[in-house]
Amino acid sequence: MSSAEPTEQTGPAARSHPQHPQHPERPQHAEHAERSPRPAPMPGLAESARLLADSTTTSTALVADALARIEAAQPTLNAFRHLRAEAALAEAADADRRLAAGERLPLLGVPVAVKDDTDVAGLPTHFGCDGDRPPVTTDSEAVRRLRAAGAVIVGKTNSCELGQWPFTEGPAFGATRNPWNTAHTPGGSSGGSAAAVAAGLVPAALGSDGAGSVRIPAAWTHLVGIKPQRGRVSVHPHHDAFQGLTVNGPLARTVADAALLLDAAAGAHPDDFHRPPAVRASDAARRDPGRLRIALAWRPPLTLTGAGPDPEVRRAVTALAETLARLGHHVEEARPRYGLIGLTFVPRATAGIAEFAARHPEPALLDPRTRSALRTGTRLGGRVVRAARAREVRQHRRIGALFDASGYDVLLTPTTAAPPPRIGTFDRLSAWRTDVTMAAACPYAWPWNVLGWPGINVPAGFTRSGLPIGAQLLGPSRGEERLIALAAQLEDDLRWYQHRPPAP
């Protein structure tokens, strides 16, 4: 991994100008001035909690700073769909009173953001779609738990339409841009959360991952992104989001911050289908992982695209594997037996899209590619999707043999096959061409959504032009703690958090 910070990259002269996050309008185009010098960095999640507990700062100051950073960056990065400025400041003032009275909670008074597929009482949940939606009246279970830990939700971040694609662009809100180079996407579908954290607008944010939607944007913005075990973080009010593919997970600049947010958000709603036993993620981030056997896999599952890793991706992930070997782990190349796992992913994914799309009050506003997925998902629903889900047990056995029979502890792969594409790469593509282009760029992440098992993106370095690259640490069922401990060991050695993008 290169030790030199990438040089500043500038975006195009004319950028999609997003709406104010509280007052949606159609995006316009405008010139943007050259970016200003970087302000002092916002403290991370754990550091913010410590400063508040020590009375070194106040929640009001932290939340006001986050809101000011968001407003300043919105014309350039367009990370947020909605802000809760007035409500968040009122909650911060209440947190300050509670802190002064001696109350202590893991995140009391700390500002965080959540993705716009997540219900926050008083705000609509657009999930990247155009059109009007009424505000919801009840927090999702994950938000309820974040509030119970004391967090102040400052707003909701942009997602592509129904979370389908590895880019965060659409007519409802414009284009969300990568802080490392605003000509490029931060990824998707949790691109708004990733852009907000990478740019230092908030200390950490919650995303969701149905085919890599936490790990892909984490890879393309130089963040830690955790896809937890299915059910670790509730998806309520949905009981089994996207036919069991989608989970909620954190994005942060450090492993400790991601683990802290995971601990705060984790836990089941009484109606949830999946209820894995609890883990202690923050404790794992302070634990030595021991000497592990790590399988390095370059070949992705069959996608019929012929995709393999870009040479710069291969170089960066190879360097990360060499770091793991230097740290004392046994690393060797291996091939997971993925089989035809894509044949079960497609019915589950499209049926999930169809379920969400069918609830849209104005279907004509949906992207033509979404309407195509709706038709496919409707055809593949029922018996086909039930058969696809029934194959999961056999897939667990076949792919799990890498851990059980072959004795590996962790699987290492690239998170994506390519660096982040330019904004507009997927514009005007048909549904089929979008799927093919997406599968070629991002063939590695989605099998772990089929399995429901945990994975973590860790920063793996940069391309020669300064674009971030990530690598996945993947584990067997309920294996978050080992993955977190290993990621923390890598972070201690590589200190990726020292590299920051230019100021937005």
Side-chain angles (χ1 to χ4, degrees), residues 329-352:
H329 304 290
H330 177 78
V331 182
E332 64 184 22
E333 293 191 17
R335 287 187 180 180
R337 294 177 55 227
Y338 290 115
L340 298 178
I341 191 171
L343 295 181
T344 63
F345 172 78
V346 171
R348 293 172 68 171
T350 56

Side-chain angles (χ1 to χ4, degrees), residues 68-251:
R69 290 169 186 259
I70 293 165
E71 290 278 11
Q74 189 67 9
T76 304
L77 298 182
N78 188 21
F80 280 79
R81 184 72 182 263
H82 295 286
L83 290 184
R84 304 180 64 248
E86 185 176 344
L89 287 169
E91 291 165 12
D94 180 63
D96 285 332
R97 288 189 288 270
R98 295 163 64 186
L99 286 160
E103 184 176 355
R104 294 294 181 267
L105 293 169
L107 297 178
L108 184 54
V110 180
V112 300
V114 301
K115 183 178 176 181
D116 190 32
D117 63 345
T118 306
D119 285 354
V120 176
L123 295 178
T125 301
H126 285 101
F127 203 175
C129 296
D130 208 348
D132 294 327
R133 290 289 183 96
V136 301
T137 58
T138 306
D139 288 333
S140 68
E141 179 66 14
V143 168
R144 187 194 70 77
R145 288 180 177 271
L146 289 176
R147 290 192 196 273
V152 177
I153 311 298
V154 295
K156 299 179 69 173
T157 58
N158 277 324
S159 163
C160 64
E161 194 168 283
L162 302 184
Q164 302 167 77
W165 305 305
F167 55 91
T168 302
E169 302 165 41
F173 58 87
T176 297
R177 296 177 179 274
N178 196 318
W180 293 93
N181 183 326
T182 55
H184 291 257
T185 181
S189 60
S190 304
S193 287
V197 176
L201 311 184
V202 289
L206 196 67
S208 62
D209 190 315
S213 287
V214 162
R215 291 162 289 156
I216 291 166
W220 285 346
T221 59
H222 196 67
L223 296 177
V224 176
I226 301 178
K227 175 215 171 296
Q229 177 75 22
R230 183 184 298 152
R232 179 75 60 215
V233 179
S234 176
V235 294
H236 186 84
H238 313 292
H239 304 309
D240 195 39
F242 285 84
Q243 294 294 326
L245 297 176
T246 294
V247 299
N248 292 321
L251 295 111

Side-chain angles (χ1 to χ4, degrees), residues 246-262:
T246 294
V247 299
N248 292 321
L251 295 111
R253 295 185 60 247
T254 69
V255 175
D257 284 355
L260 178 58
L261 193 66
L262 178 58

Side-chain angles (χ1 to χ4, degrees), residues 423-446:
I423 295 288
T425 295
F426 296 85
D427 286 356
R428 293 178 293 279
L429 295 182
S430 67
W432 171 250
R433 289 305 308 168
T434 296
D435 288 344
V436 169
T437 306
M438 176 172 64
C442 302
Y444 291 104
W446 55 268

Side-chain angles (χ1 to χ4, degrees), residues 1 218-219 222-225 253 320 457-461 469-471 494 496-497:
M1 179 175 178
H222 196 67
L223 296 177
V224 176
R253 295 185 60 247
L320 192 82
N457 175 79
V458 294
I469 294 169
L494 297 175
W496 52 63
Y497 51 82

